[in-house]
Amino acid sequence: MPEYACIHLWEITDMGHGHDHHHDHAHESAGGDVPAALDMSIPDSELSPSDVSRRGFLRGAGLLGAGAAASVLATPTAAQAAGLPHSHGPAGGGTAKGGFTWLAGDHHIHTQYSSDAQYRVIDQARHGRAFGLDWVVITDHGSVAHAKIGVEKVNPDIRATREELRDLLTFQGLEWNIPAAEHATVFVAPSKHEVEVLKQFETNYDGNLLPATNTPEQNEAAAIAGIKFLGSQVRARKVEAALFLANHPARRGIDSPHEIRNWRDADPSVAVGFEGAPGHQAAGIPAPNGRGGARGYYDNNPSAASFPGYPPESYRTWGGFDWMTSTVGGLWDSLLSEGKAWWITVNSDSHVNYLDQSDRGPGSDFEANGKYNDPVYTGKTLTTAGDFWPGFYGRTNVGASSWGYKQVMDGLRAGRVWVDHGRLIKGLDARVRVAGDRRGATGTPLGGVLHVKRGTSTEITLDIDLQDVPNWAQFVPVLKRVDVIVGTVTGPVADKDAFTAPNTKVVKSFEVSQKTGKVSLTYSFGRLDKPFYVRVRGTDANRTQAGLMGAAVDPVGPKLDVLGDADPWGDLWFYTNPIWVLPK
């Protein structure tokens, strides 16, 4: 088996073909998860010449240390160490080649089982399917009432929806009040134990149910314990998979950098990312036609619970995207520079939808029943509602090996994801290749890790299907520019509250003049002299400004959204997850 097959990210991220056995093929690692070159317990004198060379390169690049074992820099056998089966095949994880089925979805949707929402599960699911989604996750709020009766009560509705809409994948999850932090989507693969696992998780680890006397440190520890609990339920075969995605991470400034790192490191097979853009995008539509607030309800200011290092601009969206994602050289790039596999998504966060004409059913008693009565027609148009229906505006596009629940979760875990607002583009294929290799079966896709020898020339190829049908605002979006963003991989940070990546910047902007069809773009990275990652974004270029780190880093980034004047259709963007290029 070639070396790369043992050290790529897919062994973390893919639960593969479901077998559970011990492997007798040669892994590069010596006695554990860490390859010999990274295992500092092995002296240089006991390494092979190639490992001595590799260690020397990594040492020179500052990439050795304990943190390397928890990143793409190490043999990613965390899944194995956790007792998970994994795949040899090309169909799983970030190193798979071609042939993906791209499935659009939304992992953050509320129903009448949330204290601040109103729709039935089938209402949300039907709308999502009608607006082009292949998968949805029902994530009603964690609360005392929900923990007591909500998890069981919503399950029959979800199971009935699965039966009625067989061409839509409907997951059950919940929105977790992360102890000491914001919210998160937590969901599991369908199983006869799905209610049991989610109920136990919410009861024991929801921030609203923990003792009010807990210290911040105790709550942060509870969050880590909760993520580890989910992993334990997968290993116990209670559910086939469980995932965690932090929601609206910069909204209140209370998700500190070290907490995000700790969640991810608690179990990288469960905690896989955060929202690149929040839901509630209709909340920015100017009055009198809309609420006249902030996209994503990002209208907060620092509080006593906020991380003090975050700048004032972090409390607003930028082109509809969260500051952690939209800032080139910011927090997301800081994680990627470490080599941490940490992904972005978008979703609706649908509670009560813009221009709908319904209200909660009369006579509802949420506290007693754990739900509101079915909604009723009122004839009154909800112009001040802040949400869109699932699939109406934001999509998380997942590269799956085929259509199925597990395949969607595998694709999310592998980071094979690109996201967009307003259907900016129809499709996207991004691959990093050895320069000049145009074979259809080659190239490392989104979320993957390409290992090549130092000095090898590499390039990224982008095939983008331009939009040719109107979006739900009834105009055909036009892609005007594509930006290639590159960051040097600098290894684990000494300060876990670091949130900048000084070596990340936009290295190339492609102006797109073509209006229809497919656009193919190639950018050469030259010969590999240091480990790096690349991510891509695109825009209609309607609203831009220099990024927070300066024009030399991001000359034409997304514009800071203004309270009361943030029409979400006024600028549209797509973002991809990264691909790493590392030396062998």
Side-chain angles (χ1 to χ4, degrees):
M1 176 169 286
E3 177 184 329
Y4 67 82
C6 295
I7 58 179
H8 277 175
L9 194 58
W10 60 263
E11 291 195 10
I12 277 183
T13 56
D14 179 47
M15 295 174 64
H17 47 211
H19 65 187
D20 183 15
H21 63 212
H22 296 287
H23 296 267
D24 55 8
H25 59 70
H27 284 253
E28 189 185 56
S29 59
D33 290 347
V34 184
L38 291 177
D39 186 349
M40 298 310 292
S41 68
I42 303 174
D44 289 5
S45 59
E46 296 181 14
L47 293 175
S48 67
S50 63
D51 279 336
V52 169
S53 175
R54 184 180 180 192
R55 177 178 289 181
F57 178 82
L58 296 170
R59 182 181 282 127
L63 299 178
L64 293 179
S71 75
V72 299
L73 305 172
T75 302
T77 54
Q80 291 168 274
L84 297 173
H86 70 271
S87 170
H88 298 287
T95 58
K97 309 290 194 300
F100 299 123
T101 299
W102 289 91
L103 301 175
D106 185 329
H107 69 74
H108 190 175
I109 299 169
H110 296 267
T111 74
Q112 63 195 140
Y113 296 90
S114 284
S115 60
D116 54 358
Q118 67 185 48
Y119 303 113
R120 299 178 303 169
V121 173
I122 192 67
D123 298 331
Q124 296 284 35
R126 283 175 177 159
H127 278 87
R129 187 182 65 161
F131 293 132
L133 297 187
D134 303 291
W135 57 273
V136 295
V137 185
I138 303 301
T139 54
D140 292 307
H141 283 292
S143 66
V144 174
H146 190 263
K148 186 177 179 182
I149 52 179
V151 179
E152 296 100 323
K153 277 209 164 187
V154 72
N155 184 259
D157 292 1
I158 290 173
R159 298 172 77 89
T161 299
R162 290 171 184 159
E163 287 297 314
E164 180 172 336
L165 304 178
R166 290 180 174 270
D167 57 350
L168 181 76
L169 301 167
T170 305
F171 293 90
Q172 181 166 358
L174 56 81
E175 186 162 23
W176 183 28
N177 297 297
I178 309 172
E182 264 279 6
H183 299 165
T185 287
V186 166
F187 69 108
V188 299
S191 157
K192 63 180 180 181
H193 298 296
E194 61 188 346
V195 169
E196 172 191 341
V197 171
L198 289 171
K199 188 174 182 67
Q200 187 175 352
F201 169 77
E202 184 178 9
T203 300
N204 292 337
Y205 302 106
D206 192 275
N208 282 3
L209 277 70
L210 294 177
T213 54
N214 268 11
T215 65
E217 292 75 18
Q218 287 175 314
N219 282 329
E220 289 187 19
I224 292 170
I227 291 168
K228 289 184 175 180
F229 166 80
L230 293 170
S232 74
Q233 298 305 288
V234 178
R235 290 191 294 277
R237 306 294 194 266
K238 291 289 188 65
V239 290
E240 197 169 20
L243 291 178
F244 160 103
L245 292 155
N247 295 336
H248 35 73
R251 184 176 65 170
R252 297 167 56 206
I254 62 174
D255 289 3
S256 61
H258 76 265
E259 288 176 284
I260 295 172
R261 286 182 165 92
N262 288 342
W263 302 334
R264 187 268 179 194
D265 293 346
D267 191 333
S269 71
V270 173
V272 297
F274 54 33
E275 289 180 353
H280 305 310
Q281 291 281 330
I285 296 174
N289 297 318
R291 179 175 176 270
R295 296 168 80 168
Y297 293 142
Y298 273 45
D299 52 6
N300 298 287
N301 294 302
S303 70
S306 301
F307 176 69
Y310 289 146
E313 295 88 347
S314 69
Y315 292 83
R316 302 289 180 268
T317 54
W318 293 70
F321 276 70
D322 185 283
W323 164 84
M324 294 184 185
T325 291
S326 59
T327 302
V328 175
L331 194 151
W332 187 33
D333 287 314
S334 178
L335 297 171
L336 301 181
S337 294
E338 284 193 84
K340 291 188 183 299
W342 190 252
W343 318 123
I344 63 163
T345 59
V346 303
N347 51 70
S348 66
D349 200 355
S350 170
H351 290 70
V352 180
N353 296 322
Y354 181 66
L355 298 185
D356 187 36
Q357 295 186 328
S358 69
D359 199 356
R360 294 167 186 154
S364 297
D365 187 342
F366 186 86
E367 291 303 318
N369 301 322
K371 62 178 288 191
Y372 292 107
N373 293 338
D374 290 352
V376 296
Y377 173 71
T378 66
K380 180 181 178 182
T381 303
L382 297 172
T383 55
T384 57
D387 310 339
F388 289 127
W389 291 101
F392 195 91
Y393 185 70
R395 295 182 299 173
T396 294
N397 301 278
V398 178
S401 57
S402 61
W403 191 88
Y405 287 96
K406 178 177 178 300
Q407 290 84 345
V408 168
M409 298 185 82
D410 285 347
L412 283 168
R413 193 183 302 104
R416 285 194 303 270
V417 171
W418 62 271
V419 302
D420 71 345
H421 277 166
R423 305 297 171 100
L424 175 59
I425 57 176
K426 290 187 72 173
L428 180 148
D429 183 52
R431 292 167 192 274
V432 172
R433 304 171 181 276
V434 173
D437 184 354
R438 291 293 188 275
R439 291 174 294 169
T442 62
T444 299
L446 297 176
V449 185
L450 174 64
H451 285 264
V452 294
K453 292 181 178 178
R454 275 172 285 168
T456 302
S457 293
T458 58
E459 62 189 15
I460 186 169
T461 58
L462 300 168
D463 292 313
I464 301 171
D465 297 318
L466 299 176
Q467 191 55 266
D468 58 4
V469 296
N471 57 24
W472 306 113
Q474 298 305 303
F475 67 90
V476 179
V478 178
L479 179 69
K480 293 286 186 62
R481 199 184 72 247
V482 175
D483 298 322
V484 179
I485 300 164
V486 171
T488 304
V489 177
T490 50
V493 294
D495 177 8
K496 295 185 78 171
D497 275 324
F499 60 87
T500 61
N503 296 307
T504 301
K505 65 180 181 179
V506 176
V507 298
K508 176 67 178 180
S509 290
F510 292 98
E511 301 298 328
V512 179
S513 58
Q514 190 175 327
K515 303 297 184 186
T516 60
K518 177 178 290 188
V519 173
S520 296
L521 306 171
T522 299
Y523 177 74
S524 173
F525 301 114
R527 295 185 180 279
L528 178 65
D529 61 354
K530 55 188 176 185
F532 68 92
Y533 68 90
V534 57
R535 63 182 179 94
V536 178
R537 73 180 180 200
T539 178
D540 59 8
N542 286 336
R543 296 178 67 249
T544 60
Q545 69 178 77
L548 264 182
M549 300 299 178
V553 173
D554 186 10
V556 280
K559 197 164 186 175
L560 177 66
D561 291 315
V562 178
L563 296 183
D565 185 17
D567 182 349
W569 303 99
D571 62 344
L572 303 177
W573 294 78
F574 80 75
Y575 284 71
T576 75
N577 274 309
I579 304 169
W580 282 271
V581 182
L582 304 177
K584 285 183 178 178

